[in-house]
Amino acid sequence: MKGSAALPVFGTRLRRVRTAVRLKQDGLAELLGVDQATVSRWERGVQTPEADLQAKVFQTLLPYRSDDAALRRLVETSPECVHLVDEATHVCLAYSAVRARDWQVGQRDMLGISLWQFATEEIQKAEHELDSSDWWSVVSPEPRLFETSQANYHDISISAGQILWERVYLSDGTPARLVSGRSHAA
């Protein structure tokens, strides 16, 4: 995650992942070398760490996560333009061959990379709008559909078109986001 790419609603994201992997605040605090009160302040949104520390926090939780090979395989073999990201970090977990062609990358190039750094203005706006909706407070929020513009980065190209966000859960209970898209060029 880039220094300028702090995630919105960090505390809510952190609480969801931490509780999904059944780690208490004091356990996470010990792993990070901070006190439990600091983790509590982050989760309540009283204090928000810099993007680099946010990345370190989520990296620290990785060993507690499950694999989900079957879900990855379903996404990777889908005939649709889809990808799966960790909802807290936007780290890419899997994507279809159609998505790889759309992004103009190989089908393994973006795995393990936070896609937040490539978010268009429309994607960033839609992400920020989740904070004022019920997205973070309900188990199964309504899917979100919106339009995005085209963007070209050194590592990836984003096509203009519709994006649909749907929440799914990994086998350890961690929320993930299934992202479906339809390019205007398609």
Side-chain angles (χ1 to χ4, degrees):
M1 202 179 314
K2 292 182 179 178
S4 63
L7 292 163
V9 201
F10 170 77
T12 304
R13 293 168 190 271
L14 173 59
R15 184 175 48 253
R16 277 196 173 272
V17 173
R18 182 188 56 74
T19 57
V21 300
R22 295 175 177 81
L23 188 63
K24 293 184 180 249
Q25 283 183 344
D26 60 348
L28 178 58
E30 184 177 326
L31 291 170
L32 294 169
V34 299
D35 58 26
Q36 180 272 329
T38 298
V39 174
S40 176
R41 285 191 297 272
W42 291 343
E43 290 186 359
R44 289 182 289 127
V46 173
Q47 185 180 22
T48 304
E50 295 294 322
D52 292 343
L53 183 52
Q54 288 181 12
K56 179 183 175 186
V57 169
F58 289 120
Q59 191 70 27
T60 300
L61 291 168
L62 279 179
Y64 297 90
R65 309 285 298 276
S66 61
D67 185 5
D68 290 290
L71 180 58
R72 273 198 334 271
R73 187 181 73 257
L74 286 171
V75 171
E76 290 170 353
T77 60
S78 173
E80 302 296 320
C81 190
V82 296
H83 65 279
L84 182 69
V85 296
D86 176 282
E87 191 156 67
T89 62
H90 290 264
V91 166
C92 185
L93 303 173
Y95 53 101
S96 65
V98 177
R99 177 65 82 201
R101 283 192 300 278
D102 180 58
W103 284 344
Q104 300 174 16
V105 299
Q107 199 168 355
R108 298 244 178 271
D109 295 349
M110 304 310 291
L111 295 179
I113 295 173
S114 175
L115 300 180
W116 183 243
Q117 62 188 314
F118 307 115
T120 63
E121 287 183 30
E122 296 87 359
I123 294 170
Q124 290 178 33
K125 180 179 184 247
E127 186 72 30
H128 286 285
E129 288 173 352
L130 295 179
D131 193 23
S132 59
S133 73
D134 66 354
W135 186 270
W136 299 107
S137 60
V138 298
V139 173
S140 297
E142 288 294 317
R144 302 289 173 153
L145 181 67
F146 62 95
E147 297 276 333
T148 190
S149 60
Q150 180 175 346
N152 293 306
Y153 299 92
H154 180 262
D155 298 324
I156 190 172
S157 294
I158 309 293
S159 295
Q162 287 187 326
I163 293 180
L164 178 67
W165 287 342
E166 298 173 278
R167 177 170 302 142
V168 297
Y169 287 90
L170 303 181
S171 60
D172 64 7
T174 303
R177 192 175 298 171
L178 182 64
V179 181
S180 305
R182 178 156 294 139
S183 161
H184 287 310

